[in-house]
Amino acid sequence: MQDAAVNQMLRVLSRSPNDGRGRRKKGKPRESGSFHLSMEEGWLSLFLLAAVVYSTIWCVQAVGWVDNLNVLTLTTLLGLVAGVLASKQYRFPSIVVHVVAMLFGLFVAFWQTAGAFHNGSFAAFAGSLGDWFNTVLHGGFGNDDSIFLFFIVTLGFVLAYTSAWLVYRTRSPWLMIIANAVVLLINLSNTTNGYIIFLVIFLLAALLLVLRFNLYESIKRWNRQGLRYSEDLGWDIMQAGALISIGILIFSWILPYGYTDPNVSQIWTVDSNPWVQLQNTWDRIMSVNGGVNAANRGSFRDTLTLGGNPNLNNEIVFTVQSDDGSQYLQSTVFDTYTDRGWTISPTSNHSLKAKETNPLPVLKIKPVTQSITVVNQPALQYPYLFGAPQIVSTNLPASIMQSRTTGETTAWLNQNGFITGGNTYTVTSDASSADEASLRTIPLPKDATSTYSPSGQASADAYDPDIVRVYTQLPQDLDPQIGILAQNITRDKKTMYDKVLALETYLRAHYAYDLNINKPPREEGVSWFLFRSNNRGFCNYFSSAMAVMARSLGIPARVVVGYTNGNYDTKTHQRVIRGVDAHAWTQVYFAGYGWINFEPSQSFATFSRPLPDTSGNGSGSTGNLPGGPNGPNNPQNQDPRHKIGANDSLDGSGTNASAIGPDVGRSVSVAAGSLILLLLFGCILFSVWWRKLFRNLSVTSQVYGRVCMLADWAGIRLQPSNTPTEYMDKLAQASPDEAEMLHRLGDIYTRERWAPPESPDHPKHNGDLNEIGRLWQRLQPRLFLYLARHPYFLRWGPRRLLVLWREARERRKQHKMLYDNL
């Protein structure tokens, strides 16, 4: 006979499909117009379904793709309720129910998104939807966070609704698990290690749900066939399933991880892969915070949006062997600025053979050769070649993207397609070696006295009018305060170089470098950064602000994207470029000297300039940067492009010391996760053992035995001479609050054991047995709480070990005495 608590649980787990309100005669079909809300499958199945769905949804919230993801909790609940109601009704056709449910889900998502981003204004959010659609349709980046929230909330409702329908209507729990697993794994790959608990909950709930559902289907089949089965079969199977599930999780947790075949992995990372192309398209139309949705190694396209955190990771992208370690790696330049960011004007392609040169007609240059090995390819729209500004040749067949208006090079492409990991290419660049004195002699375009002649010869006093027109372009509705600020900054500067230098210095001095910013969706980027950002932003904002302010002064300027020169590895004698080194900076055009690099981003060192009268072969000193290529600090050991507070700790071997942190963090996470799983496994094992304890005895004997065992663990020993009444008195003295219940239990137990079975005082005749379940429900938590306050059982282990040690020592003495007497 089972105790009351066990019997109640058994009724939940093993309820026959013909029990309760959902009962119908065998063989009688369900009426098409009926509605049955009773959970024939058991309410436990609904709880497990909710655990599977919510572990997925809460993982989405943990990633934090956008703000206000907390609304997903309510949306998921509405989706589950709608799914259960829809699956339990048979009055309306399924297609009608699905359409109504999806419309309701869209309304909920629209309502919650409007409330989160537009103060509840439906009209404002509808306008944002229209703007986003128009932007994406014309190849731009959809960087409105409210659109992404709307999509995520809709997906949450659909996922919850579909999950309930698959379980309760189509009877396909495996399909439900697969759908949720896909979403869960996508989001887990973008969270920290600590959120692995969502996967643990998901797997445990999913395995138990499949087991519970298969058991329910089997019981239905056995009932139709008239087969008999044990009443507690459901509980036994669920116990075994829980143990097996926990065992699988523990085993998988301790398995080795992290092996990746570098050659096979290229199949999934090359940009010609359709999956990667689909991912790139998705990142464009759903650009959370204006950047790539997930942590990335850098993303390079023909547009540059001023948005939120780009979420760059620390994976190695390139290793570079170079004769000048101070050079950045340039990818793409942008010439057109709009209120949505930077774009490239129409281009045409010009093909070059391997090692064919495309020389630059500029003064004071030095050749720089770089051997670049691709380790992990960044996200590329085209097969860009990276190299120091400005590339003039490469050992690969190349295609040059050139502006149709100015003829300026926009980017170098590899004609043979994307370069996968493990491959190396070489580029030669004509890097500028112009000194400050020479640059100060260059006039503003409006002050130039010479007439430009497209003869191919560099002139220090003549500007190409097309270059001036294109690279001083600004939107007509640009905030006029930007130009006023630029005028105020450069008011007392006489030369064009000094004006540009003043802009660079102002930005570095008055604005802080911060990746975690959140620009409002409809704000123009530069104006917001300069006047309403609390003086915080990252390289996209710094470089754009400098270029726009320079253009407002009539100075040709543009924004360039690529990578900084990373860190030097003393073991391989190469520079290591990582995802976090992806960067944007500013270039200004000086007549005769071409495009000159400037670094307006605070926390990045400024570009060095050679001293006057040094040759253009790169052998001169750096002038204003002691850590430059030939300064007192060797550039191979000190990074001349040093970033303050980011990747700036190198140990003696050139290894980034900060990289130790993730390894330690993962070790702690693994240890904590293993401990949690072991504790969970121990709790389930104890629960199984506790439920089976004294199971062959009567309910009264089971309860009495468990009370005695808990008391013994708390240090109140049952002596052989104690009667049940005496022992209950002893327990009542230790816990007076439970005295009445303990005396009542002792009285019922005594009469059940020793009263004549036919006596009216026997508990089975007077109804006292019905009290046992209620007594145990009240006593059990209080006794466990008393045990927690008096954990006498913890002494058993050390004392038992001490006894064993003494016994072993005594045996050794006896053996020694026996040996000595022989």
Side-chain angles (χ1 to χ4, degrees):
M1 184 175 182
Q2 301 296 319
D3 62 87
V6 173
N7 285 333
Q8 183 178 2
M9 182 63 71
L10 285 174
R11 285 195 296 271
V12 174
L13 295 176
S14 304
R15 179 175 294 165
S16 169
N18 293 332
D19 292 342
R21 290 176 294 173
R23 177 178 299 173
R24 63 182 185 274
K25 294 182 179 180
K26 182 178 178 181
K28 183 178 179 179
R30 190 187 301 271
E31 297 178 6
S32 60
S34 62
F35 176 77
H36 297 268
L37 183 58
S38 61
M39 299 300 295
E40 298 176 350
E41 301 84 359
W43 290 98
L44 178 63
S45 65
L46 181 59
F47 171 79
L48 294 173
L49 170 64
V52 170
V53 175
Y54 269 106
S55 61
T56 303
I57 294 300
W58 285 337
C59 185
V60 175
Q61 289 179 285
V63 178
W65 298 108
V66 290
D67 294 334
N68 304 304
L69 279 176
N70 57 298
V71 300
L72 275 173
T73 300
L74 174 61
T75 306
T76 304
L77 176 62
L78 294 176
L80 283 173
V81 172
V84 172
L85 294 177
S87 62
K88 293 294 181 179
Q89 71 83 34
Y90 290 84
R91 181 179 301 275
F92 304 103
S94 297
I95 185 64
V96 175
V97 173
H98 292 334
V99 170
V100 172
M102 292 303 104
L103 291 176
F104 175 70
L106 287 172
F107 171 78
V108 170
F110 199 95
W111 164 60
Q112 291 189 313
T113 305
F117 279 93
H118 299 280
N119 297 321
S121 174
F122 281 29
F125 180 49
S128 294
L129 277 173
D131 293 343
W132 169 81
F133 183 78
N134 183 62
T135 300
V136 170
L137 194 63
H138 292 85
F141 272 69
N143 60 347
D144 189 340
D145 289 357
S146 65
I147 305 301
F148 192 77
L149 178 66
F150 175 70
F151 170 81
I152 288 292
V153 172
T154 304
L155 177 63
F157 180 90
V158 172
L159 183 65
Y161 175 85
T162 305
S163 297
W165 181 271
L166 288 174
V167 170
Y168 293 118
R169 189 62 169 264
T170 66
R171 330 299 287 180
S172 305
W174 276 112
L175 291 179
M176 180 277 297
I177 292 172
I178 292 174
N180 282 270
V182 171
V183 179
L184 177 71
L185 293 177
I186 290 175
N187 287 273
L188 270 182
S189 63
N190 296 290
T191 60
T192 58
N193 293 327
Y195 291 108
I196 196 70
I197 187 62
F198 290 124
L199 180 61
V200 173
I201 297 173
F202 176 88
L203 292 176
L204 184 60
L207 291 171
L208 292 179
L209 177 61
V210 171
L211 183 63
R212 175 71 190 96
F213 208 80
N214 288 337
L215 174 63
Y216 166 73
E217 294 293 330
S218 298
I219 290 176
K220 282 178 51 179
R221 186 172 65 255
W222 296 339
N223 286 334
R224 288 195 302 267
Q225 296 172 352
L227 300 177
R228 296 176 60 86
Y229 53 88
S230 174
E231 291 184 358
D232 57 355
L233 176 64
W235 176 244
D236 290 340
I237 290 180
M238 293 301 290
Q239 284 180 341
L243 289 174
I244 293 173
S245 302
I246 294 295
I248 292 173
L249 291 177
I250 293 177
F251 180 72
S252 62
W253 186 268
I254 63 178
L255 285 177
Y257 65 93
Y259 171 76
T260 302
D261 186 285
N263 296 321
V264 176
S265 66
Q266 298 305 317
I267 298 176
W268 301 102
T269 57
V270 62
D271 271 43
S272 58
N273 186 326
W275 172 254
V276 176
Q277 293 177 349
L278 178 62
Q279 181 180 356
N280 290 339
T281 302
W282 169 258
D283 290 339
R284 178 179 67 83
I285 66 176
M286 286 291 181
S287 297
V288 178
N289 292 324
V292 178
N293 295 340
N296 66 92
R297 298 183 291 264
S299 180
F300 300 92
R301 308 184 62 83
D302 56 7
T303 56
L304 179 68
T305 305
L306 300 181
N309 193 332
N311 298 312
L312 300 171
N313 62 28
N314 205 42
E315 293 182 8
I316 297 176
V317 182
F318 302 118
T319 58
V320 180
Q321 184 74 44
S322 176
D323 51 12
D324 184 354
S326 67
Q327 297 293 330
Y328 280 10
L329 297 183
Q330 177 176 307
S331 168
T332 313
V333 299
F334 299 97
D335 55 19
T336 304
Y337 183 72
T338 68
D339 57 356
R340 296 184 180 275
W342 293 91
T343 61
I344 300 173
S345 60
T347 60
S348 58
N349 287 10
H350 174 60
S351 298
L352 293 178
K353 298 178 181 179
K355 299 183 179 180
E356 185 177 353
T357 302
N358 182 48
L360 298 175
V362 295
L363 303 172
K364 290 194 176 184
I365 57 175
K366 61 177 181 180
V368 174
T369 301
Q370 297 169 306
S371 179
I372 301 173
T373 301
V374 179
V375 179
N376 292 294
Q377 189 185 79
L380 305 176
Q381 182 179 10
Y382 305 109
Y384 294 117
L385 293 175
F386 292 78
Q390 310 282 330
I391 300 175
V392 293
S393 69
T394 177
N395 66 333
L396 301 174
S399 178
I400 305 176
M401 295 177 63
Q402 293 179 318
S403 170
R404 296 178 183 175
T405 304
T406 64
E408 290 294 306
T409 298
T410 298
W412 282 62
L413 311 178
N414 178 27
Q415 286 189 6
N416 295 329
F418 294 92
I419 301 175
T420 57
N423 293 300
T424 302
Y425 64 94
T426 301
V427 294
T428 300
S429 304
D430 282 348
S432 174
S433 61
D435 57 87
E436 290 187 341
S438 299
L439 293 176
R440 283 193 170 94
T441 64
I442 307 302
L444 287 162
K446 65 178 182 178
D447 298 329
T449 58
S450 300
T451 302
Y452 174 76
S453 174
S455 60
Q457 298 296 322
S459 173
D461 193 32
Y463 286 90
D464 183 342
D466 289 331
I467 289 180
V468 174
R469 177 175 55 82
V470 171
Y471 291 99
T472 57
Q473 165 271 334
L474 289 173
Q476 292 183 354
D477 56 350
L478 186 68
D479 185 354
Q481 292 299 318
I482 297 175
I484 295 173
L485 176 63
Q487 291 285 352
N488 293 334
I489 294 171
T490 61
R491 188 181 306 278
D492 59 343
K493 306 302 179 183
K494 304 301 181 184
T495 69
M496 174 174 157
Y497 179 78
D498 287 331
K499 290 179 181 294
V500 175
L501 197 63
L503 296 177
E504 179 188 58
T505 303
Y506 176 84
L507 291 171
R508 296 173 61 83
H510 292 83
Y511 295 83
Y513 198 89
D514 187 359
L515 291 169
N516 297 313
I517 61 174
N518 187 19
K519 181 181 75 67
R522 293 181 176 272
E523 288 268 14
E524 187 274 313
V526 171
S527 176
W528 175 82
F529 170 66
L530 290 175
F531 307 117
R532 296 177 296 281
S533 67
N534 294 323
N535 290 17
R536 309 188 72 82
F538 56 92
C539 57
N540 290 6
Y541 289 91
F542 281 92
S543 57
S544 298
M546 181 174 176
V548 169
M549 285 197 293
R551 289 187 175 195
S552 70
L553 300 174
I555 300 173
R558 66 187 185 184
V559 169
V560 189
V561 294
Y563 290 91
T564 67
N565 61 344
N567 292 316
Y568 183 74
D569 189 339
T570 57
K571 292 183 178 180
T572 61
H573 303 290
Q574 293 179 327
R575 302 205 71 83
V576 178
I577 314 298
R578 300 178 180 272
V580 292
D581 296 316
H583 192 49
W585 64 99
T586 307
Q587 289 181 345
V588 176
Y589 189 85
F590 288 80
Y593 294 95
W595 294 102
I596 305 299
N597 293 321
F598 287 87
E599 182 54 273
S601 295
Q602 188 268 343
S603 82
F604 289 74
T606 57
F607 285 96
S608 60
R609 312 284 179 215
L611 292 174
D613 302 325
T614 57
S615 62
N617 58 7
S619 62
S621 68
T622 61
N624 65 345
L625 189 62
N630 296 287
N633 298 325
N634 191 321
Q636 307 305 321
N637 299 315
Q638 276 296 337
D639 184 6
R641 306 296 313 127
H642 181 64
K643 290 172 286 184
I644 301 172
N647 301 327
D648 56 355
S649 297
L650 292 176
D651 59 19
S653 63
T655 302
N656 192 339
S658 65
I660 298 174
D663 294 334
V664 174
R666 176 167 180 83
S667 299
V668 172
S669 176
V670 170
S674 301
L675 180 61
I676 292 173
L677 285 177
L678 288 174
L679 290 176
L680 184 60
F681 179 77
C683 291
I684 292 179
L685 190 63
F686 175 80
S687 175
V688 172
W689 173 79
W690 186 251
R691 288 288 182 180
K692 292 181 178 294
L693 192 63
F694 310 124
R695 66 181 302 175
N696 295 323
L697 303 178
S698 67
V699 173
T700 307
S701 299
Q702 290 181 39
V703 173
Y704 181 80
R706 290 170 182 169
V707 169
C708 294
M709 181 167 289
L710 289 175
D712 182 74
W713 289 348
I716 307 175
R717 304 297 301 274
L718 173 62
Q719 302 299 329
S721 60
N722 291 145
T723 65
T725 301
E726 291 173 342
Y727 191 56
M728 290 298 107
D729 288 339
K730 186 187 296 187
L731 297 185
Q733 292 175 5
S735 181
D737 293 339
E738 285 77 44
E740 182 180 352
M741 291 184 289
L742 291 170
H743 286 138
R744 182 61 175 161
L745 173 64
D747 176 62
I748 296 175
Y749 175 71
T750 301
R751 287 188 286 111
E752 183 189 59
R753 288 293 305 273
W754 290 285
E758 297 80 11
S759 171
D761 291 333
H762 196 281
K764 69 178 182 180
H765 296 306
N766 59 15
D768 287 345
L769 288 180
N770 297 330
E771 292 186 39
I772 295 298
R774 293 191 298 272
L775 283 173
W776 180 236
Q777 289 178 358
R778 297 174 61 188
L779 273 174
Q780 182 173 229
R782 300 183 184 186
L783 292 177
F784 271 109
L785 182 60
Y786 182 88
L787 178 62
R789 295 197 301 263
H790 305 84
Y792 181 84
F793 68 97
L794 295 179
R795 304 179 187 178
W796 180 88
R799 294 177 66 178
R800 183 59 181 166
L801 291 176
L802 181 61
V803 170
L804 292 175
W805 177 75
R806 289 176 177 175
E807 291 177 352
R809 186 178 64 174
E810 193 65 30
R811 285 195 298 269
R812 285 197 302 270
K813 287 183 179 181
Q814 293 176 358
H815 291 164
K816 186 176 184 302
M817 292 175 59
L818 180 62
Y819 179 79
D820 292 341
N821 293 330
L822 291 177

